[in-house]
Amino acid sequence: MNAITTDVLIIGGGPSGMVSALFLDKLGISSKVIERRFDISPHPKAHELSARSMEILLQLGISLEELTAEAASYRDGSRILFGHTINQELGEIDLWEGGNDEKYKQHLAAPVPYLNLSQTELEKILRAKLSACSHSELLVGHQWEEMQEHAAGMSSKILDRNTQVAYTIESQYVVCADGAASRSREALGIRMIGKEKINDFISVYFELGLRDYLKKTAKLYWIMNPKAPGTFIAHHIDKRWVYHFPIFTPYEKREDYTEEILQDRILTALGHPNISLSIHSVGLWRMTHQMASRFQKGRAFLVGDAAHRFPPTGGLGMNSGIGDAQNLMWKLAMVIKGLAAPDLLATYEAERRPVIEQNSRESMKNYHKIFEVPKALGLPKSAMKWQAVALNSFPIRYLPKSWVDSLLKKIQRSLSKKILAVPQKPPLHQKIKAVIKDQIEHFDRIGLDLGYAYRSGSLISNGETPPPQTVSAYRPSVIAGVRFPHFWIESQKERFSSHAWLAPNAYTLLVNHAGENWWKTNRKLLPPSLLAMVQCRNVENMLRSQPASAPERAFYPIEDIPLLLIRPDGHVAWKAYSLESDIQSIFHQLIPAP
């Protein structure tokens, strides 16, 4: 078989890989996505689509209707409950409480700030979009084997698992998006730094409609039941559920948990022994806290879980990978089109690594903080581990099983009695409710979603510092490196988002009247190929016509900012307060000449 040629080879057809391909297609760059699986894994994994990820997907042409078709309802996805069983509540976090929901709506064009959507369902949407692409193609059942870099690009050996025939793909660049256990990362000799094992978990997937049974709907139910501690993730109240719980290897192993044991544990956590359920699949996964020592080696780049893996506490993993893809693909396109030198690609890691480090720290903080809830209930943090150790130690493992089971049940009943008595002790219950509500940053993370800023890379700073962000509060600005904010533009004819000014395949220069004259005079100094990548919009009349109370007046006074350049990924590249700038110098600093 002759070698297949493409601009970019993407190894891995998960969310990061497919979003990468969709961006490249929009940018007119050819790509092949190699996915070893024939079908999408039915076992749900990630389930939270962040505000920023939704913006990115909508910009790629995926409609809100497509995203919400199989997502949990917004109200179901805005509550997190803690209880002895799923209906014996100890406390809750309600993201609608106190108008908390409104702060998202103020800063987003989408009518919902996040979606509780199974990764499996998102992958179906992405596959459908990819099938309609002109420049990008998904090859399922094709397995990456090896790659070699040479002067002109990369040669990769691929195995077609349908025919067992190997062939070669020649590409200019390779994007490694093959997940946490990335074989391509290992082949590149890139090591992972950090903690390889925090804990192992069993994940049980079952399909069941529980809406009529539940006292309150939520997306997460943390079960504080000594007989069945774990977490229910309601991927969809009426359809898809996953039950997670830790196991402590090597004292325990996956094989210890038969289907009968798993069913009993789930029914105990549900608090209803007579519900009929069928387990569809069981997975074993390891929680880690690691980051690749580098995100680039030569012509190969790591994105998503191949580059970083951290606890799911906070829902930042898949969303970080989508952000990686958005940041890297327009830069690859600029280089492949001959508009920029390969030096531009070094800004990918320079920009993304600090963001990933922050997300990683927050995920670990959330993981450790969640143990404050059982601690408030008087349950030792390591009780489950020491139970596993004790049950598998000498001489316990040689005692009659009936004796051990009897002792274990006695301890569990005693602890359950203590937990169930909490509602009858108002001071203690109020304390526990407060501890639960204090977990809010685990779930309300608008500052992380929208407020992260690139501090160095393909941008020009004039010395201004982005406004400080917190996890649960976002402050918009138009300082270099930040996401260009959303705000509504009202006119007599229509109402639209400021993000409608932007395009994923071009720089956008926002100007006032004076800035437009500057652009008309200076644009001819740019080479035609680069000029084609810049769109200019005079927004002065639109901004001046907004109400005096419009929030954007505080951070984007158009009369003071004649020139504002936005990158294809929606981040501010450069802001000018005067018209003295040299257009050639500006673009040379942003885009190293080929």
Side-chain angles (χ1 to χ4, degrees):
M1 180 185 292
N2 294 329
I4 295 174
T5 301
T6 190
D7 291 325
V8 180
L9 171 65
I10 300 170
I11 304 170
S16 298
M18 287 194 282
V19 169
S20 296
L22 290 172
F23 265 114
L24 290 173
D25 185 76
K26 221 165 188 44
L27 293 160
I29 300 298
S30 65
S31 70
K32 302 288 184 187
V33 183
I34 302 301
E35 172 52 56
R36 69 176 304 277
R37 298 172 299 172
F38 291 97
D39 300 307
I40 295 170
S41 171
H43 194 93
K45 299 173 187 174
H47 66 100
E48 181 95 354
L49 204 58
S50 73
R52 185 62 174 137
S53 291
M54 287 178 63
E55 284 184 344
I56 292 169
L57 295 176
L58 293 173
Q59 191 181 41
L60 283 173
I62 297 171
S63 70
L64 186 64
E65 290 71 26
E66 289 173 296
L67 291 175
T68 56
E70 283 297 326
S73 76
Y74 179 43
R75 189 65 183 109
D76 291 346
S78 63
R79 189 185 285 121
I80 300 94
L81 295 179
F82 292 72
H84 181 258
T85 65
I86 207 167
N87 278 333
Q88 291 175 305
E89 183 186 327
L90 295 167
E92 70 172 8
I93 295 170
D94 190 338
L95 299 177
W96 267 14
E97 189 176 53
N100 198 44
D101 176 62
E102 291 304 315
K103 71 182 179 186
Y104 275 90
K105 292 183 178 179
Q106 179 184 351
H107 300 297
L108 293 171
V112 294
Y114 43 77
L115 280 179
N116 189 35
L117 174 67
S118 297
Q119 179 179 328
T120 52
E121 301 304 315
L122 176 60
E123 288 187 16
K124 291 175 186 177
I125 295 168
L126 295 175
R127 281 197 176 192
K129 284 295 176 185
L130 203 47
S131 68
C133 286
S134 302
H135 306 288
S136 297
E137 181 182 13
L138 172 65
L139 301 173
V140 298
H142 290 239
Q143 180 171 299
W144 173 87
E145 295 288 314
E146 59 185 53
M147 60 184 160
Q148 291 183 332
E149 183 171 346
H150 48 80
M154 304 286 285
S155 294
S156 300
K157 180 182 175 183
I158 310 298
L159 175 66
D160 183 342
R161 298 178 67 212
N162 300 278
T163 63
Q164 294 302 307
V165 173
Y167 63 97
T168 300
I169 291 182
E170 298 286 347
S171 63
Q172 294 191 51
Y173 293 94
V174 169
V175 173
C176 303
D178 49 342
S182 172
R183 293 171 56 244
S184 59
R185 181 191 63 230
E186 291 184 4
L188 291 167
I190 299 176
R191 61 192 178 89
M192 297 299 284
I193 300 171
K195 196 166 185 177
E196 193 275 333
K197 176 184 175 181
I198 296 173
N199 212 87
D200 291 325
F201 290 80
I202 285 180
S203 167
V204 188
Y205 171 46
F206 60 98
E207 294 181 355
L208 193 64
L210 288 174
R211 188 173 299 278
D212 293 340
Y213 170 69
L214 296 169
K215 291 182 180 178
K216 281 186 183 178
T217 58
K219 64 181 172 185
L220 287 169
Y221 297 82
W222 295 79
I223 304 301
M224 305 291 165
N225 187 323
K227 188 178 178 182
T231 307
F232 283 112
I233 301 177
H235 286 248
H236 196 298
I237 293 286
D238 303 304
K239 300 178 182 180
R240 293 180 292 274
W241 290 79
V242 172
Y243 180 61
H244 289 275
F245 62 91
I247 66 167
F248 299 92
T249 56
Y251 311 104
E252 299 177 294
K253 53 185 181 294
R254 159 68 185 91
E255 293 74 20
D256 295 337
Y257 290 89
T258 64
E259 183 159 335
E260 181 182 1
I261 290 173
L262 292 173
Q263 286 228 13
D264 178 68
R265 186 164 181 148
I266 291 171
L267 293 175
T268 299
L270 288 173
H272 198 317
N274 299 318
I275 289 179
S276 176
L277 66 87
S278 175
I279 293 173
H280 279 247
S281 55
V282 181
L284 178 67
W285 62 279
R286 176 162 291 180
M287 183 185 288
T288 60
H289 182 222
Q290 293 184 309
M291 189 178 304
S293 58
R294 55 198 297 188
F295 290 1
Q296 176 188 2
K297 185 175 182 180
R299 290 175 174 264
F301 298 84
L302 309 182
V303 299
D305 288 353
H308 42 77
R309 49 199 192 192
F310 36 81
T313 38
L316 297 167
M318 179 177 70
N319 293 301
S320 294
I322 291 173
D324 293 344
Q326 184 202 34
N327 182 284
L328 176 61
M329 295 310 126
W330 70 269
K331 297 173 182 176
L332 279 174
M334 295 286 287
V335 174
I336 290 169
K337 289 178 179 180
L339 300 174
D343 293 352
L344 176 65
L345 302 176
T347 67
Y348 165 60
E349 180 168 350
E351 292 177 355
R352 288 302 294 171
R353 181 175 285 275
V355 175
I356 298 304
E357 288 173 344
Q358 182 184 28
N359 289 348
S360 180
R361 286 193 300 270
E362 288 300 324
S363 295
M364 281 300 293
K365 187 178 86 172
N366 291 336
Y367 172 72
H368 289 300
K369 190 176 179 65
I370 203 73
F371 288 103
E372 293 177 1
V373 179
K375 180 181 177 181
L377 289 165
L379 303 175
K381 176 180 178 180
S382 301
M384 293 176 65
K385 178 180 179 180
W386 289 116
Q387 175 181 299
V389 173
L391 292 176
N392 288 276
S393 65
F394 178 86
I396 300 295
R397 61 184 175 184
Y398 295 107
L399 294 175
K401 186 176 184 302
S402 59
W403 292 11
V404 176
D405 288 346
S406 177
L407 176 61
L408 190 58
K409 288 178 181 177
K410 185 176 181 179
I411 294 171
Q412 290 170 347
R413 281 196 299 269
S414 175
L415 291 173
S416 284
K417 185 177 179 180
K418 183 177 182 179
I419 295 168
L420 289 169
V422 166
Q424 282 74 53
K425 301 176 180 179
L428 176 61
H429 197 192
Q430 288 304 313
K431 175 188 174 183
I432 290 167
K433 285 182 176 181
V435 170
I436 289 171
K437 287 187 181 296
D438 193 42
Q439 305 289 324
I440 186 71
E441 289 187 350
H442 187 147
F443 311 100
D444 178 16
R445 53 179 190 275
I446 188 172
L448 286 182
D449 288 349
L450 305 181
Y452 65 86
Y454 300 139
R455 302 301 179 90
S456 64
S458 184
L459 54 93
I460 299 172
S461 172
N462 59 10
E464 294 178 316
T465 302
Q469 310 287 349
T470 64
V471 172
S472 298
Y474 164 66
R475 295 176 62 192
S477 77
V478 289
I479 291 171
V482 305
R483 154 197 175 265
F484 179 69
H486 152 80
F487 45 88
W488 291 112
I489 300 297
E490 308 277 356
S491 72
Q492 293 180 343
K493 295 181 180 180
E494 60 180 335
R495 179 178 189 252
F496 61 91
S497 168
S498 58
H499 283 185
W501 292 332
L502 312 181
N505 57 356
Y507 279 86
T508 300
L509 182 63
L510 301 180
V511 299
N512 60 17
H513 299 322
E516 184 175 28
N517 291 330
W518 177 91
W519 171 247
K520 287 177 180 178
T521 301
N522 289 275
R523 65 193 302 271
K524 56 191 168 187
L525 299 176
L526 294 178
S529 56
L530 181 56
L531 184 61
M533 289 284 293
V534 184
Q535 60 172 358
C536 179
R537 294 181 181 272
N538 186 336
V539 298
E540 181 168 358
N541 288 343
M542 285 181 277
L543 289 178
R544 284 184 180 275
S545 67
Q546 301 310 299
S549 59
E552 64 271 15
R553 287 185 176 273
F555 58 82
Y556 189 19
I558 189 62
E559 59 276 6
D560 298 330
I561 305 174
L563 304 166
L564 186 68
L565 188 65
I566 317 298
R567 307 186 327 181
D569 62 359
H571 283 255
V572 177
W574 168 63
K575 179 175 72 168
Y577 290 106
S578 75
L579 298 173
E580 299 175 359
S581 301
D582 178 345
I583 193 170
Q584 291 176 305
S585 174
I586 292 299
F587 275 95
H588 180 71
Q589 291 179 67
L590 294 172
I591 308 169

